[in-house]
Amino acid sequence: MNSFDLNIAKFGGTSVADFAAMNLCADIIAKNRNTRVVVVSASAGVTNYLVELAHKALTQEQINETLERIREIEYRILNDLKAPASLADKLNGLLNELGDLAHHEEVLHQPALKDALLSMGERMSSLLFAEVLNQRGVAAQNFDIRNVLRTDSEFGEAAPILDKIALNAKELIQPVIGDRVIVTQGFVGADEQGRTTTLGRGGSDFSAALLAEALDATSCEIWTDVVGVYTTDPRITSAARPLPELSFEEAAEMANFGAKVLHPATMEPALRKDIKVFVGSSKEPEKGGTWIVKDCQNEPPYRAITRRKQQVMVTVKTPKMMHAQGFLQRVFTIIAEHKISVDLVTTSEIAVSFTLDNPSNSVAERLNRETLEELSELCEVIVEEGYDLVTVVGNNMHSAAGISAKIFSAMGEYNLRMICYGANPHNMSFLVSQKDSTDIVTGLHKKLFE
């Protein structure tokens, strides 16, 4: 097996939702002999149930009902496989492990237990999908990614340790991919003590990109339920259309500012090793998709519009800031110590405003709360909620004549709470009321793309 030909394929939750969907994925793998490593998400629906078990205070009866729903999803696939007893034993072992975690009295309070529980969806789907491939005549092996994907111990949003991942992948995966397809879990890793960790929301894409980097792959395919990356979310406007290509920089901006098709960190490993990334639909592979590459043939001023929901605007304010040195440093030191990512920033003589991503039931929500408590000891803190972040992504936006005028003309009747423009040639961002964001995205799309 030539490493220069290697392709990593990742399949999302809807792509492995049931036996029929898994067979469509098997078709894609069988048609590309260079696909030797497959990364899967949990079957659609399972993750939502696991999140409930990990974050909600449920009664014993509710826990058992939720576990039964998960079991039904997994067993439908198992029964369609008409699988040998040994596979049923392995699945039952995972379901029993899940039951023990769900009933653990400390699961709501110990992040390590939460991650162990949240990993179970991927562990079950990879077990079943490997059997689908084997029954289709594609030699496959279910592989526990925790032996390779080493991370720190920041449970819920663990950071990968790249040199150890590369070493483990070359030692444990590289020698066998010439003989069989490795089927493994996205989203999941392990820390130095061997405890299960997770990479945060959308971490399966990130897992695939990390393995592509570690194994010196030529390409990485992200198979989902949409035909590539669109000019905007097609659920917002039916006029959205798929893009044939994107640059790494454009894709990174889109992912960072809310494009659901890609995980924000996915582009980092691909950019470091110049690995081509493909995004397509496992249900309609014949329609092609979007290629994300280092250099595009065409770099238009407007490429796409994204929206990121559940944003919080924070204003820190103190008269001491006027003509004072060091205040901003102290504010952003506190933010950095809590590993918070800030998007938009504006300043005045006595105040600084910035935005935070604040999705519910996330590590970010907890860290944001802790950060604001610490900042309130330093200065007055004003928190405003109910905002969405709308971003126009493109090229040379800060220097091309007429670009900003065209964008602002489409937003004239709406209140823009914050604007970020000029710091980056690839985007222009606006903080807007969440009640207006759908109309704003629709209006911008009509003005720029229709």
Side-chain angles (χ1 to χ4, degrees), residues 204-226:
S204 292
D205 291 359
F206 193 22
S207 298
L210 288 167
L211 288 175
E213 178 183 31
L215 293 165
D216 297 317
T218 301
S219 57
C220 179
E221 297 173 349
I222 308 294
W223 294 98
T224 179
D225 55 0
V226 292

Side-chain angles (χ1 to χ4, degrees), residues 148-159:
V148 166
L149 211 149
R150 193 67 63 236
T151 73
D152 65 12
S153 300
E154 188 63 54
F155 298 101
E157 205 156 334

Side-chain angles (χ1 to χ4, degrees), residues 247-257 262 264 267-268 292:
S247 69
F248 284 131
E249 289 81 3
E250 290 170 326
E253 293 294 328
M254 290 181 67
N256 186 55
F257 286 107
L262 294 169
M267 291 304 105
E268 296 173 13
I292 303 169

Side-chain angles (χ1 to χ4, degrees), residues 249-250 253 299-303 392-400 403 420-428:
E249 289 81 3
E250 290 170 326
E253 293 294 328
E299 294 186 345
Y302 316 113
R303 183 75 86 177
V392 179
V393 176
N395 296 277
N396 301 314
M397 299 180 71
H398 63 322
S399 58
I403 298 294
C420 187
Y421 180 45
N424 186 321
H426 292 292
N427 75 64
M428 184 187 296

Side-chain angles (χ1 to χ4, degrees), residues 9 11 14-32 38 129 132-133 136 138 221 223-225 281-286:
F11 294 94
T14 56
S15 297
V16 293
D18 52 34
F19 181 70
M22 285 185 173
N23 268 290
L24 294 176
C25 300
D27 289 339
I28 292 170
I29 295 166
K31 289 175 182 176
N32 186 355
V38 174
F129 187 62
V132 170
L133 288 177
R136 290 285 302 273
V138 177
E221 297 173 349
W223 294 98
T224 179
D225 55 0
S281 169
S282 61
K283 294 178 173 59
E284 302 175 294
E286 70 282 356

Side-chain angles (χ1 to χ4, degrees), residues 132-145:
V132 170
L133 288 177
N134 282 314
Q135 291 193 10
R136 290 285 302 273
V138 177
Q141 174 188 336
N142 182 35
F143 181 85
D144 191 339
I145 198 60

